[in-house]
Amino acid sequence: MAEPRKLDWDSDFFGFTVVEAHSTRSGEGDLDRVVGAACQMGATLLVYTVPAGSPVSLPGRAAHVDVRHTYICDYSRITFGPPEAAHLIEFHEGRDPLPELDRLALLSGQHSRFFNDPLFPRPAAEALYTTWMRRALTREFGDHVLVARDPDGVIAAMYSGRIDSAGFGVPDLMAVDPRLRGRALGAGFLQTSMLHYRERGIVKGRLRSQGRNRFARAIYERLGWTLAACEDVYHVWLGVPPVKEYSS
Protein backbone atom coordinates (compact mmCIF):
# COMPACT_ATOMS: atom_id res chain seq x y z
CA MET A 1 0.00 0.00 0.00
CA ALA A 2 1.20 3.48 -0.82
CA GLU A 3 2.28 5.66 2.08
CA PRO A 4 2.09 9.40 1.41
CA ARG A 5 4.93 11.68 2.38
CA LYS A 6 5.30 15.43 2.18
CA LEU A 7 7.84 16.80 -0.30
CA ASP A 8 9.37 19.55 1.80
CA TRP A 9 11.51 21.22 -0.86
CA ASP A 10 8.71 21.23 -3.44
CA SER A 11 6.20 22.54 -0.92
CA ASP A 12 8.47 25.39 0.16
CA PHE A 13 9.34 26.31 -3.42
CA PHE A 14 5.83 26.24 -4.87
CA GLY A 15 4.12 27.78 -1.85
CA PHE A 16 1.60 24.95 -1.47
CA THR A 17 1.86 21.53 0.15
CA VAL A 18 2.88 18.71 -2.20
CA VAL A 19 2.55 15.08 -1.10
CA GLU A 20 3.65 12.02 -3.05
CA ALA A 21 2.73 8.37 -2.77
CA HIS A 22 4.17 5.40 -4.64
CA SER A 23 2.18 2.20 -4.98
CA THR A 24 4.06 -0.96 -5.97
CA ARG A 25 0.97 -2.79 -7.14
CA SER A 26 -2.44 -2.13 -8.66
CA GLY A 27 -3.80 1.19 -7.53
CA GLU A 28 -7.43 0.03 -7.49
CA GLY A 29 -9.00 0.95 -4.14
CA ASP A 30 -5.78 2.43 -2.78
CA LEU A 31 -6.11 5.95 -4.08
CA ASP A 32 -9.12 6.88 -1.91
CA ARG A 33 -7.16 6.00 1.22
CA VAL A 34 -4.13 7.96 0.04
CA VAL A 35 -6.28 10.98 -0.85
CA GLY A 36 -7.75 10.95 2.64
CA ALA A 37 -4.29 10.80 4.22
CA ALA A 38 -3.01 13.59 1.95
CA CYS A 39 -5.95 15.79 2.91
CA GLN A 40 -5.11 15.24 6.57
CA MET A 41 -1.59 16.46 5.76
CA GLY A 42 -2.98 19.66 4.25
CA ALA A 43 -1.94 18.77 0.70
CA THR A 44 -2.90 20.90 -2.26
CA LEU A 45 -1.33 18.46 -4.72
CA LEU A 46 -0.97 14.69 -4.44
CA VAL A 47 1.50 13.09 -6.86
CA TYR A 48 0.40 9.46 -7.13
CA THR A 49 2.55 6.87 -8.90
CA VAL A 50 1.70 3.28 -9.78
CA PRO A 51 3.16 0.62 -12.10
CA ALA A 52 2.22 1.44 -15.69
CA GLY A 53 -1.15 0.05 -16.67
CA SER A 54 -2.51 -0.29 -13.14
CA PRO A 55 -6.25 0.41 -12.85
CA VAL A 56 -6.93 3.71 -11.11
CA SER A 57 -10.29 5.38 -10.50
CA LEU A 58 -9.58 9.09 -10.52
CA PRO A 59 -11.48 11.62 -8.45
CA GLY A 60 -12.36 15.05 -9.82
CA ARG A 61 -9.53 17.50 -10.57
CA ALA A 62 -7.10 14.68 -11.28
CA ALA A 63 -5.18 13.76 -14.41
CA HIS A 64 -2.70 11.27 -15.77
CA VAL A 65 0.34 13.50 -16.38
CA ASP A 66 3.20 11.18 -17.31
CA VAL A 67 4.43 7.67 -17.98
CA ARG A 68 7.73 7.84 -16.13
CA HIS A 69 10.55 5.69 -17.53
CA THR A 70 13.44 4.90 -15.20
CA TYR A 71 16.68 3.85 -16.89
CA ILE A 72 19.93 2.51 -15.44
CA CYS A 73 23.39 2.19 -16.98
CA ASP A 74 26.77 0.67 -16.16
CA TYR A 75 29.29 3.28 -17.30
CA SER A 76 32.14 0.79 -16.91
CA ARG A 77 30.76 -1.11 -19.91
CA ILE A 78 30.69 1.82 -22.32
CA THR A 79 31.89 0.70 -25.74
CA PHE A 80 31.37 3.71 -28.00
CA GLY A 81 34.23 5.79 -29.39
CA PRO A 82 34.61 9.58 -29.32
CA PRO A 83 31.30 11.31 -28.54
CA GLU A 84 29.16 12.39 -31.45
CA ALA A 85 29.32 16.12 -32.24
CA ALA A 86 32.34 16.38 -29.92
CA HIS A 87 33.69 19.39 -31.85
CA LEU A 88 30.57 21.37 -30.90
CA ILE A 89 30.45 20.50 -27.20
CA GLU A 90 32.27 22.31 -24.41
CA PHE A 91 32.22 22.22 -20.62
CA HIS A 92 30.70 25.45 -19.33
CA GLU A 93 32.57 26.77 -16.32
CA GLY A 94 30.65 30.02 -15.81
CA ARG A 95 28.45 30.15 -12.73
CA ASP A 96 26.36 33.24 -13.41
CA PRO A 97 22.81 33.04 -14.81
CA LEU A 98 22.51 33.64 -18.53
CA PRO A 99 19.29 34.49 -20.44
CA GLU A 100 20.05 31.89 -23.10
CA LEU A 101 20.47 29.16 -20.47
CA ASP A 102 17.24 30.21 -18.72
CA ARG A 103 15.46 29.94 -22.06
CA LEU A 104 16.92 26.50 -22.73
CA ALA A 105 15.95 25.39 -19.22
CA LEU A 106 12.31 26.12 -20.07
CA LEU A 107 12.69 24.24 -23.34
CA SER A 108 14.05 21.23 -21.42
CA GLY A 109 10.82 21.08 -19.42
CA GLN A 110 8.42 21.03 -22.36
CA HIS A 111 7.64 17.31 -21.94
CA SER A 112 7.44 17.37 -18.14
CA ARG A 113 4.37 16.77 -16.02
CA PHE A 114 4.69 20.32 -14.68
CA PHE A 115 4.25 21.86 -18.13
CA ASN A 116 1.66 19.36 -19.36
CA ASP A 117 -0.73 19.54 -16.43
CA PRO A 118 -3.06 22.47 -17.28
CA LEU A 119 -3.85 22.93 -13.58
CA PHE A 120 -0.22 23.33 -12.55
CA PRO A 121 0.60 27.06 -12.26
CA ARG A 122 2.72 27.92 -15.28
CA PRO A 123 4.82 30.52 -13.39
CA ALA A 124 5.70 27.84 -10.83
CA ALA A 125 6.71 25.35 -13.55
CA GLU A 126 8.88 27.92 -15.31
CA ALA A 127 10.49 29.05 -12.06
CA LEU A 128 11.27 25.43 -11.19
CA TYR A 129 13.24 24.75 -14.37
CA THR A 130 15.01 28.09 -14.25
CA THR A 131 16.02 27.40 -10.65
CA TRP A 132 17.28 23.92 -11.52
CA MET A 133 19.40 25.39 -14.31
CA ARG A 134 20.90 28.06 -12.08
CA ARG A 135 21.63 25.57 -9.30
CA ALA A 136 23.39 23.39 -11.87
CA LEU A 137 25.58 26.34 -12.80
CA THR A 138 26.59 27.00 -9.19
CA ARG A 139 27.07 23.23 -8.64
CA GLU A 140 24.55 23.39 -5.79
CA PHE A 141 22.44 20.92 -7.75
CA GLY A 142 24.80 19.66 -10.38
CA ASP A 143 28.22 18.31 -11.26
CA HIS A 144 28.83 19.64 -14.77
CA VAL A 145 27.19 21.68 -17.50
CA LEU A 146 27.80 21.15 -21.23
CA VAL A 147 26.90 23.64 -23.95
CA ALA A 148 27.02 24.06 -27.71
CA ARG A 149 26.95 27.37 -29.56
CA ASP A 150 25.37 28.57 -32.77
CA PRO A 151 27.50 30.10 -35.58
CA ASP A 152 27.30 33.49 -33.83
CA GLY A 153 28.77 32.05 -30.63
CA VAL A 154 25.50 32.15 -28.68
CA ILE A 155 24.71 29.15 -26.45
CA ALA A 156 21.91 27.28 -28.23
CA ALA A 157 22.06 23.86 -26.57
CA MET A 158 22.79 22.71 -23.03
CA TYR A 159 22.98 19.67 -20.79
CA SER A 160 23.50 19.31 -17.04
CA GLY A 161 24.56 16.27 -15.05
CA ARG A 162 24.66 15.65 -11.31
CA ILE A 163 25.58 12.98 -8.78
CA ASP A 164 22.69 11.89 -6.59
CA SER A 165 22.76 10.93 -2.92
CA ALA A 166 23.34 7.27 -3.81
CA GLY A 167 26.40 8.07 -5.92
CA PHE A 168 24.71 7.58 -9.31
CA GLY A 169 25.73 9.80 -12.20
CA VAL A 170 22.45 11.35 -13.32
CA PRO A 171 21.76 13.03 -16.68
CA ASP A 172 19.48 15.91 -15.75
CA LEU A 173 18.43 18.83 -17.97
CA MET A 174 18.96 18.83 -21.73
CA ALA A 175 17.68 21.07 -24.50
CA VAL A 176 18.70 21.83 -28.07
CA ASP A 177 17.38 24.89 -29.85
CA PRO A 178 15.66 23.98 -33.15
CA ARG A 179 18.36 25.72 -35.18
CA LEU A 180 20.99 23.25 -33.89
CA ARG A 181 18.92 20.10 -34.16
CA GLY A 182 19.96 17.32 -36.49
CA ARG A 183 23.62 17.51 -35.41
CA ALA A 184 23.57 14.60 -32.92
CA LEU A 185 23.99 16.95 -29.95
CA GLY A 186 21.61 14.96 -27.74
CA ALA A 187 23.68 11.81 -28.13
CA GLY A 188 26.92 13.80 -27.93
CA PHE A 189 25.96 15.46 -24.67
CA LEU A 190 25.01 12.13 -23.10
CA GLN A 191 28.15 10.35 -24.33
CA THR A 192 30.39 13.16 -23.08
CA SER A 193 28.72 13.05 -19.68
CA MET A 194 28.93 9.26 -19.41
CA LEU A 195 32.65 9.30 -20.21
CA HIS A 196 33.16 12.14 -17.73
CA TYR A 197 31.55 10.09 -14.98
CA ARG A 198 33.55 6.99 -15.80
CA GLU A 199 36.83 8.91 -15.77
CA ARG A 200 35.96 10.03 -12.24
CA GLY A 201 35.26 6.48 -11.09
CA ILE A 202 31.46 6.77 -11.12
CA VAL A 203 30.29 3.60 -12.82
CA LYS A 204 26.53 3.58 -12.27
CA GLY A 205 23.98 5.84 -13.91
CA ARG A 206 20.29 6.40 -13.35
CA LEU A 207 17.75 8.74 -14.90
CA ARG A 208 14.05 9.36 -15.24
CA SER A 209 12.57 10.26 -18.61
CA GLN A 210 9.11 11.43 -19.57
CA GLY A 211 7.22 8.88 -21.61
CA ARG A 212 6.17 11.49 -24.16
CA ASN A 213 9.83 12.37 -24.83
CA ARG A 214 10.35 9.57 -27.32
CA PHE A 215 13.36 11.23 -28.92
CA ALA A 216 15.34 11.29 -25.67
CA ARG A 217 14.35 7.74 -24.77
CA ALA A 218 15.55 6.51 -28.15
CA ILE A 219 18.96 8.07 -27.47
CA TYR A 220 19.21 6.47 -24.02
CA GLU A 221 18.37 3.05 -25.35
CA ARG A 222 20.75 3.34 -28.31
CA LEU A 223 23.59 4.22 -25.93
CA GLY A 224 23.07 1.20 -23.70
CA TRP A 225 20.68 2.39 -21.01
CA THR A 226 18.30 -0.30 -19.71
CA LEU A 227 14.67 0.35 -18.85
CA ALA A 228 14.24 -0.61 -15.19
CA ALA A 229 10.71 0.62 -14.43
CA CYS A 230 7.73 2.21 -16.11
CA GLU A 231 5.15 4.03 -13.97
CA ASP A 232 1.98 6.02 -14.45
CA VAL A 233 2.05 9.39 -12.68
CA TYR A 234 -1.11 11.20 -11.65
CA HIS A 235 -1.66 14.70 -10.28
CA VAL A 236 -4.60 14.81 -7.87
CA TRP A 237 -5.51 18.38 -6.94
CA LEU A 238 -6.98 18.63 -3.47
CA GLY A 239 -7.08 22.42 -3.40
CA VAL A 240 -6.46 25.48 -5.53
CA PRO A 241 -2.75 26.42 -5.65
CA PRO A 242 -2.07 29.99 -4.54
CA VAL A 243 -0.42 32.51 -6.81
CA LYS A 244 3.19 33.11 -5.78
CA GLU A 245 5.72 35.65 -6.95
CA TYR A 246 9.02 34.16 -8.12
CA SER A 247 12.18 36.22 -8.25
CA SER A 248 13.81 36.48 -11.67
Side-chain angles (χ1 to χ4, degrees):
M1 297 175 67
E3 294 299 331
R5 70 180 185 94
K6 180 182 177 183
L7 299 179
D8 292 327
W9 189 92
D10 303 63
S11 300
D12 290 342
F13 184 83
F14 295 131
F16 54 84
T17 300
V18 182
V19 170
E20 73 169 2
H22 299 280
S23 178
T24 58
R25 56 183 181 176
S26 169
E28 189 67 46
D30 189 42
L31 183 54
D32 288 343
R33 180 189 63 82
V34 173
V35 166
C39 287
Q40 290 293 319
M41 299 167 69
T44 296
L45 173 62
L46 167 65
V47 183
Y48 186 68
T49 306
V50 294
S54 298
V56 177
S57 297
L58 294 178
R61 288 178 58 83
H64 180 265
V65 292
D66 194 13
V67 181
R68 177 184 294 159
H69 290 65
T70 300
Y71 288 91
I72 58 174
C73 184
D74 185 345
Y75 296 144
S76 68
R77 305 181 73 150
I78 296 172
T79 58
F80 55 77
E84 298 175 47
H87 64 291
L88 298 174
I89 295 171
E90 62 186 81
F91 282 85
H92 182 73
E93 302 299 338
R95 299 193 172 219
D96 294 329
L98 295 173
E100 55 267 43
L101 287 176
D102 285 348
R103 182 179 61 82
L104 288 167
L106 299 185
L107 183 60
S108 75
Q110 66 179 328
H111 296 295
S112 76
R113 59 187 173 89
F114 303 101
F115 280 73
N116 285 279
D117 179 353
L119 297 180
F120 201 95
R122 186 58 179 250
E126 293 183 354
L128 177 66
Y129 273 82
T130 301
T131 298
W132 277 344
M133 182 73 256
R134 295 182 179 184
R135 291 177 73 191
L137 289 171
T138 63
R139 308 302 188 265
E140 179 186 359
F141 189 71
D143 176 75
H144 58 281
V145 174
L146 306 173
V147 300
R149 301 176 185 271
D150 67 13
D152 296 323
V154 177
I155 294 174
M158 71 81 187
Y159 164 100
S160 68
R162 61 185 171 88
I163 301 170
D164 70 13
S165 58
F168 285 81
V170 180
D172 210 11
L173 304 180
M174 182 166 63
V176 179
D177 186 274
R179 65 184 183 275
L180 283 189
R181 289 177 185 168
R183 304 189 185 191
L185 278 168
F189 279 145
L190 188 60
Q191 290 170 318
T192 301
S193 183
M194 292 164 69
L195 290 171
H196 175 72
Y197 283 131
R198 187 174 69 177
E199 289 167 359
R200 296 180 55 195
I202 299 167
V203 297
K204 297 294 184 182
R206 178 168 56 194
L207 65 83
R208 286 176 171 176
S209 180
Q210 298 93 359
R212 58 178 63 87
N213 195 350
R214 296 183 179 89
F215 177 75
R217 290 194 290 112
I219 293 174
Y220 303 143
E221 292 168 11
R222 178 166 67 85
L223 295 181
W225 289 74
T226 301
L227 182 63
C230 190
E231 303 163 301
D232 288 322
V233 183
Y234 299 88
H235 280 180
V236 182
W237 290 96
L238 306 174
V240 178
V243 177
K244 178 181 175 179
E245 293 291 331
Y246 294 92
S247 59
S248 59

